[in-house]
Amino acid sequence: METTKTEHWNEPLKPREENKRILAGIFALVLGTLGVHKFILGYTKEGIIQLIIGICTCGVAGIISFIEGIIYLVKTDEEFYQTYQANKKGWF
C-alpha cells in the first residue's frame, strides 16, 4: 500500500520567507569584512560584531566571512533555509 503525504484542507498556508542563500553567499565573499551578509539575513548583532572585528583587524578577520560564504553557497536551498533563516543560526 502506498502512502502519500496529505495536506490538511483547513490549515492556512504558511508564507515562506525568500531564500537568501545566493545573495548572502556572494556578499559574504565580496563584502564579508563589513558583515553585510549578516545584515541581509537579519542578524544585526552578529553583523555589528563582524563589522567591528573587521575594522579592528584591518580586514584580516575577513577570512571568517569568506568561509561562511563558501558554506552558504555549498548548502542546498532547503538546508540553508532551515539552518540560517528558520532556526536563526548566527555563526557558521
Side-chain angles (χ1 to χ4, degrees), residues 38 41 43 68 71-72 75 79-92:
K38 298 290 187 184
L41 293 173
Y43 302 141
E68 283 183 327
I71 291 171
Y72 292 169
K75 287 187 176 286
E79 287 176 330
F80 179 85
Y81 179 81
Q82 290 300 322
T83 305
Y84 299 105
Q85 290 181 256
N87 295 328
K88 299 287 185 186
K89 182 179 178 187
W91 299 100
F92 292 100

Side-chain angles (χ1 to χ4, degrees), residues 31-47:
L31 295 173
T33 303
L34 302 176
V36 175
H37 61 293
K38 298 290 187 184
F39 292 111
I40 288 172
L41 293 173
Y43 302 141
T44 306
K45 182 176 70 173
E46 289 88 348

Side-chain angles (χ1 to χ4, degrees), residues 21-41 43 46-55 57-74 80 84 90-92:
R21 181 178 68 90
I22 301 293
L23 185 63
I26 290 172
F27 274 105
L29 294 174
V30 178
L31 295 173
T33 303
L34 302 176
V36 175
H37 61 293
K38 298 290 187 184
F39 292 111
I40 288 172
L41 293 173
Y43 302 141
E46 289 88 348
I48 291 170
I49 291 170
Q50 193 149 15
L51 177 63
I52 291 170
I53 291 172
I55 291 170
T57 63
C58 297
V60 175
I63 190 72
I64 295 169
S65 59
F66 189 79
I67 293 169
E68 283 183 327
I70 292 171
I71 291 171
Y72 292 169
L73 294 173
V74 170
F80 179 85
Y84 299 105
W91 299 100
F92 292 100

